[in-house]
Amino acid sequence: MDGENRIILNVGGIRYETYKATLKKIPATRLSRLTEALANYDPVLNEYFFDRHPGVFAQVLNYYRTGKLHYPTDVCGPLFEEELEFWGLDSNQVEPCCWSTYSVHRDTQSTLAILDKLELDDEQPSEEAIARLFGFEEALLNGELTCWQRTKPKIWALFDEPSSSTGAKIVAGISVFFICISVISFCLKTHPGLRVEIPAILNITTNGTAGWQETYGQPHEAFFYVELVCNVWFIIELTVRLVVSPNIVEFIKSPVNIIDLAATLSFYTDVCQRMGEQTGLLEAFSIVRILRLFKLTRHSPGLRILIHTFKASARELTLLVFFLVLGIVVFASLVYYAEKLQDNPDNQFKSIPLGLWWAIVTMTTVGYGDMAPKTYVGMFVGALCALAGVLTIALPVPVIVSNFSMFYSHTQARSKLPKKRRRVLPVEQPRRKRDMGAANRRVNALKHQHTQPTHPAIFKDAFGGAKIGDFINVPQLSSLQPRQPTTGNVDLLLPLQPKLLVPLVERRESKPEEMIPMEPKVTLQSDPNGASGNNTPGDES
């Protein structure tokens, strides 16, 4: 009885033995529905063969035995999920002790998905991929590409893909050069040593900007022409990229392109200031030019990784800001009331809003020292504020650092991988052999009949006592009562089966005066003794 209940499973060349009752513990799975009628059952070896990963199956079988699913650390997470899906198990049933290790691959997959969107690889896209990007795929297949459709992707790659060609690298270098010159010029023109005195004819107003202009003069004339040359390049670059963009809507919605447009328009505020009265609002708007540095993300993979690191760490950053705000409000209130508990003529905490500045400087460990508590209770609150700030900042920051390390390490690993991976053909399942039992019986029956001089048994079984002659005898055919064949050999020998003659006989009885033509015209003759004679084919009339 124990031998009948045991079952042998051959997984990847390793044999496992268990009980059928063990496999029934988890219903609706592949192993719980094993029968000997399956194609992978070997009746000679009395085992079931599965061409799957044997290391994962050891944990699968252990899950049937103990009811606890553990994750093997020597396999990859996606492989483990794929094997569980094959065996019909749920990956969410992994034990809590293995869940943290098992779920790491999901973070890795999301990281790889983000890196795919960043397009950090230097691999050149195929012609079909470029045509699909620009919507020219149908024209490419038909060979009907126009001159503009051939030129547009080349110009786009020249300005948007720095690694696509040598010319694209030159254009990217020119763009980076003008960005650096523009930012440096914007910073240097505020230096008092590089400013000139304002002419007497200039009308100076009494606002803050005019006071700065009156004290330090105005920027040198050369800075204006430097900005003019830079903006001419930026306008040309932005216009060309807009015209050849695969998707104009996505181009306009891009934050980098919005910054580029705003920085380019800020130059014309300087023009307005030179032509008319200078205002502080227009001059403050020119600070947008500093944001041109974000355009370097198009040319620097490291900056893109840094930006996406902050995106991936948005939850940790939000948590950090929340705890900082909470601590700032609490300690600002505490230090305000602590300083009022004792006589303190040098009290600097006149209100809670002033205490907010002290709290944020203390919690972020900056410590300017412009405000400090003077009482012992206030000093105790200040010490707690400093300790809370260190703990609040130290906890989420390692998560952000680990995210950046993960992005960077994967980027370095991808750069070392071959650009063209070897394709592996899918494994075809072997076809199940047909049951040869019926076919062998049919062949044996045919051989037995061919040893006889005639085929009386076959035709007698098919037609009763009928014979095959030259013509169809209508009265005899009308009295013929066909019946279904009892063997499986007639359908191989006769082109006209008795079951096809039934509607023929009924049609003949309804209209006996009409002759029904047939392809092989034969005559059925009855033997007076009721036995079948030799069968001779008839001539065509």
Side-chain angles (χ1 to χ4, degrees), residues 335-344 347 349-350 375:
V335 76
Y336 169 73
Y337 288 104
E339 289 293 289
K340 293 178 63 176
L341 292 178
Q342 299 178 6
D343 293 333
N344 184 13
N347 184 12
F349 298 90
K350 304 297 182 180
T375 63

Side-chain angles (χ1 to χ4, degrees), residues 259-298:
I259 291 173
D260 193 10
L261 178 62
T264 304
L265 294 178
S266 68
F267 169 74
Y268 297 98
T269 62
D270 288 350
V271 177
C272 296
Q273 292 180 20
R274 292 174 60 88
M275 297 176 59
E277 182 180 355
Q278 300 186 11
T279 61
L281 180 61
L282 290 178
E283 188 171 2
F285 181 69
S286 62
I287 200 175
V288 182
R289 300 177 200 177
I290 295 295
L291 300 180
R292 275 205 182 106
L293 292 173
F294 286 100
K295 289 183 62 177
L296 297 177
T297 57
R298 295 176 48 242

Side-chain angles (χ1 to χ4, degrees), residues 83-103:
E83 291 295 316
L84 292 183
E85 183 180 0
F86 174 81
W87 299 111
L89 302 177
D90 187 8
S91 59
N92 293 326
Q93 300 299 323
V94 176
E95 291 298 307
C97 60
C98 301
W99 183 254
S100 60
T101 308
Y102 164 66
S103 59

